[in-house]
Amino acid sequence: MKAKGLNRGDVVGVVALASPPNQKHLKNGLKLLEEKYGIRFKLAKNIDRVHGHLAGTDDERLDSLHDMLEDDEVKGIICACGGYGTPRIVERIDYNLVKAHPKIIWGYSDITCLHNAIRQQTGLVTFQGPMIASDIGDTYNEISIGSFEQLFNGEAVSYPTDRLTFKSLVSGRVDGEIVGGCLSLLVSSLGTPYEIDTKDKILFIEDIGEVPYKVDGFLQQLKSAGKLDDASGFIFGPFTDSEPKNPKKSLTMKEVLDDFITPLNKPAVYDLNIGHCTPHFAIPFGTEATLDVDNKILNIASGVIIE
C-alpha cells in the first residue's frame, strides 16, 4: 500500500514522536522546505513540549500522530527529529486509522520502530529520510533536501553513486523489497509483534554512537534470530560517531561486517550516505529495489502514487 504523493501547496503535518526538537533548527528547516517545495506546515500540538527526554507525555505524542492521520487537510507526516520515545507509543497506535488514512510518513533513527510497526500491521510504504529540525534546519545540504522531491514526482529512486559513497562488501545483484533502519532499534524489536521481517528482503542497516563491539553484539542478535540468513542482500549506511576508545583493542567496523556478512555470500554494500550523516539520501521502505554491487546501482521503486 502506498500513500498519495504531494503537490505544491499541500499541507504537511510535523510531529515530534520522540525527543523535543531544537526549536531554532525546526523553524529554519520549515522555512527551507517551504521555499523549495511550496508546501505548508501544520505543527503538532506537542511540538514545543518538553517532558524530560521526551517531547511531551506518551499521550500527547500519540495524540499528535492520530490527529495528523485524521486531519484530511494533512497530506503527509514528517517527523521533526528522533532521539528517544517512539517505542513507548507503538503498541498504542490505532493501525486501523493508518489503514483508513494512508499518508506519507517520513523520518529515521528512533522512528525506525514506527516504520517497522506500520509495515507489519498495515503494509504501508514509509520513508527513511532526513528530518526537519535535526537535519534540514541544522546541517543544510542540497542532496538531503533534494531527497524530498521523490514525494512529488513519483519517480523511481536512484542512489547517486557519482556523488555519494558506495563501497562493495560482497559482489552480485539482487532484487527485492527494501526494509530496515537504525540497527539498535531493529534489535529492540525482536520478540515483539513489530519484529522486522527480513525474509527475501534487502536489509538496510545504519546507526550512530555504537562502537564496533556493540555493533558486533547487535549483528549477533540478528543472526541468532535468523534475520541475516533470511535476508537476500544488505545495504549498510554509516556508523556515525562509532570510533572505539582504544582502536588497538578493537576490531574495525569493516572487520565486524566482514565477519557477519561476507560468509553469507549475498550482495552487500556499505558506507552509503543514508542515515545519520550529511548528506542524507532518503529512501522508501517496503518497495521493490535492485542492488547491483558490481555496477554500483541501487534503484528503488517509487514509494508514492501520483494521480
Side-chain angles (χ1 to χ4, degrees), residues 8 28 31-33 35-37 106 129-131 135-150 158 160 163-164 273 277-282:
R8 313 284 166 164
N28 187 38
K31 180 181 178 182
L32 290 168
L33 287 170
E35 291 174 348
K36 186 169 181 67
Y37 294 110
W106 179 292
M131 294 179 285
D135 297 276
I136 301 301
D138 181 22
T139 53
Y140 175 84
N141 179 274
E142 279 292 342
I143 292 177
S144 298
I145 197 170
S147 289
F148 287 89
E149 185 68 36
Q150 63 186 274
S158 296
R163 293 182 290 163
L164 299 178
N273 295 97
C277 57
T278 302
H280 175 170
F281 188 80

Side-chain angles (χ1 to χ4, degrees), residues 101-306:
H101 304 275
K103 298 181 180 183
I104 291 163
I105 295 178
W106 179 292
Y108 75 108
S109 192
D110 196 62
I111 311 304
T112 292
C113 63
L114 181 65
H115 290 313
N116 285 304
I118 286 177
R119 184 170 56 257
Q120 300 297 76
Q121 299 297 311
T122 73
L124 178 67
V125 170
T126 58
F127 295 82
Q128 151 106 16
M131 294 179 285
I132 300 174
S134 53
D135 297 276
I136 301 301
D138 181 22
T139 53
Y140 175 84
N141 179 274
E142 279 292 342
I143 292 177
S144 298
I145 197 170
S147 289
F148 287 89
E149 185 68 36
Q150 63 186 274
L151 301 181
F152 295 83
N153 61 29
E155 297 175 358
V157 178
S158 296
Y159 182 81
T161 53
D162 57 331
R163 293 182 290 163
L164 299 178
T165 305
F166 188 100
K167 297 180 181 179
S168 171
L169 189 65
V170 180
S171 64
R173 173 185 166 130
V174 62
D175 298 304
E177 183 180 318
I178 188 166
V179 300
C182 189
L183 177 58
S184 54
L185 273 296
L186 296 178
V187 168
S188 70
S189 76
L190 298 178
T192 75
Y194 317 109
E195 179 175 298
I196 186 168
D197 175 14
T198 64
K199 185 66 175 177
D200 299 325
K201 308 289 198 302
I202 299 174
L203 178 58
F204 168 77
I205 288 173
E206 62 91 35
D207 216 319
I208 184 171
E210 304 292 357
V211 294
Y213 85 86
K214 294 291 290 292
V215 171
D216 186 303
F218 289 144
L219 290 177
Q220 180 60 55
Q221 283 182 273
L222 290 181
K223 178 183 177 183
S224 297
K227 302 303 179 181
L228 301 186
D229 285 337
D230 280 352
S232 59
F234 301 93
I235 299 169
F236 288 93
F239 288 96
T240 305
D241 298 335
S242 61
E243 289 299 316
K245 293 181 179 180
N246 189 343
K248 292 183 179 180
K249 294 184 178 181
S250 173
L251 294 175
T252 66
M253 199 66 76
K254 172 64 162 48
E255 288 172 328
V256 172
L257 296 183
D258 274 329
D259 284 347
F260 283 93
I261 304 303
T262 301
L264 298 175
N265 198 30
K266 299 175 181 180
V269 292
Y270 71 105
D271 271 3
L272 274 66
N273 295 97
I274 305 171
H276 290 87
C277 57
T278 302
H280 175 170
F281 188 80
I283 60 173
F285 284 147
T287 58
E288 292 297 311
T290 295
L291 172 63
D292 187 333
V293 178
D294 301 318
N295 291 305
K296 292 189 174 183
I297 293 172
L298 173 59
N299 289 335
I300 309 172
S302 173
V304 296
I305 299 170
I306 298 296

Side-chain angles (χ1 to χ4, degrees), residues 6 9-15 26-44 47 68 71 73-80 106 131-133 136 145 148 151-152:
L6 298 179
D10 277 350
V11 173
V12 172
V14 180
V15 296
L26 176 63
K27 183 178 180 180
N28 187 38
L30 292 171
K31 180 181 178 182
L32 290 168
L33 287 170
E34 285 172 348
E35 291 174 348
K36 186 169 181 67
Y37 294 110
I39 49 180
R40 297 171 291 149
F41 290 102
K42 179 173 288 189
L43 304 183
I47 201 70
M68 293 300 181
D71 190 334
E73 183 184 30
V74 172
K75 305 304 180 184
I77 300 170
I78 299 177
C79 295
W106 179 292
M131 294 179 285
I132 300 174
I136 301 301
I145 197 170
F148 287 89
L151 301 181
F152 295 83

